[in-house]
Amino acid sequence: MTKHVFVIGLDNFHLRQLEGIRHAGDYVFHGLLPYGMVVHPESYPIDEMIERGTSEIEASGVRPDAVIGHWDFPTTALRVVFRDALGLPGPSLEGILIAEHKYWSRLRQARVIPENIPEFQALDPFDPDAADRVELDFPFWIKPNIGFSSMMVYRVDGPEDLERALAGLRDGIGLFGEPFDRFTCRANLPSDIPTDIDAWHCTLEKPIDGWQCTVEGFVRHGRTTVYGVVDSIRGGGIGSSFSRYEFPSQLPESVQERMFDITRRAVPSMDLDDTPFNIEYFWDEDTDRIWLLEVNTRISKSHSPLFMDVAGASHHEVAIDLALGRRPSFPRWEGPHRVAIKFMLRHFEDAVVTRVPTDDEIGSLEREFPGTRIQVEVEEGMRLSEMRGQEVYSYEVAVIFMGGQSHDELMDRYQALLERLPLEFHDVESG
């Protein structure tokens, strides 16, 4: 029987990923809320989004069998609201909010895996005495309690960095603070959650470092399952900007097993159930210590093509199975490649885009480099500092997915492709 799956913020790229899963012919995929309303809008009018989404479902003429989403907050919470209204299975809103909130999630993690999290504290950036209330020694990271893609995340090495970070947070934190408030009004949060430390606050954490990776998994009926590990490689001046994701991970199996054990303890502590998730970790090779960075209550959309290449299907399959009330059986390792990498091409200075490849040029390069998909994120004439959804220290200008037989092969092919990619900039002074 055909199942109707509604996908929040559906675009053509992810529609292709969905169409590659097992039994895709059994599903009809419906977009729910426009892409531009969900991904990097100027604001998130939650009540309007819920009202519009409800109207779109009613106007579709079909009853949804599942509602899924692969974008960050507020999509992670919106899917719960829509599912609850329809009586569909899924995680609780309270669990999603606890896991998404940087400080609340750390409090819960500190109960069960204290040895795997750094020193941390909450801070109100609007407090006139905020700088005096910092308890951690320099250096540390400061980040909004709700956010993604390293937006408004600052490395603080001294008082001047702190003032810059606090000013940036005061200016931008409302983008997520206001919509998070709308969801907390709908939730019945447990008594141990300090709701006065809301999404207008930020979290400070001591730096953690090492070999970074992401564990992809799901929890269903209280049972936590892990099905893949993706390595995350960073670059840039302070080593904070993602440069590529590599699958499968090259971490020692013993280290991966220890991460799985930590995962099985951490996920239930945040009241998560019946949801996919991914958890970012560091392994410090010198001390052999494992650090948990953060938990995301969704599949990583960035990893979908990597699973397609190596496992033979996107892990959107996991999200759909859970949303339908089924236990996923993923992956099956039926992909055409042994290794897959997502390369994130970045520019580290403000600039104006002076040349981008045409569709024909992209098509020609993809044919010349089989197993390659190129997504250019900028347009000619665009100024990078005006892009939305970017981290503090760099601008992501293109994404390139590649599949092949080895990491070395793909690194060589990527460098060869960059020499041919007609993407040009004119650097300008910021200010």
Side-chain angles (χ1 to χ4, degrees), residues 15 86 119 122 125 163 197 276 294 336 366 378 387:
L15 178 58
L86 294 161
E119 294 180 69
E163 288 303 318
I197 302 177
E294 68 178 29
E366 289 179 343
V378 294
M387 296 174 68

Side-chain angles (χ1 to χ4, degrees), residues 213-233:
C213 70
T214 300
V215 170
E216 291 274 2
F218 63 87
V219 55
R220 181 171 186 267
H221 295 354
R223 179 181 172 188
T224 301
T225 301
V226 172
Y227 57 81
V229 182
V230 179
D231 287 336
S232 305
I233 289 79

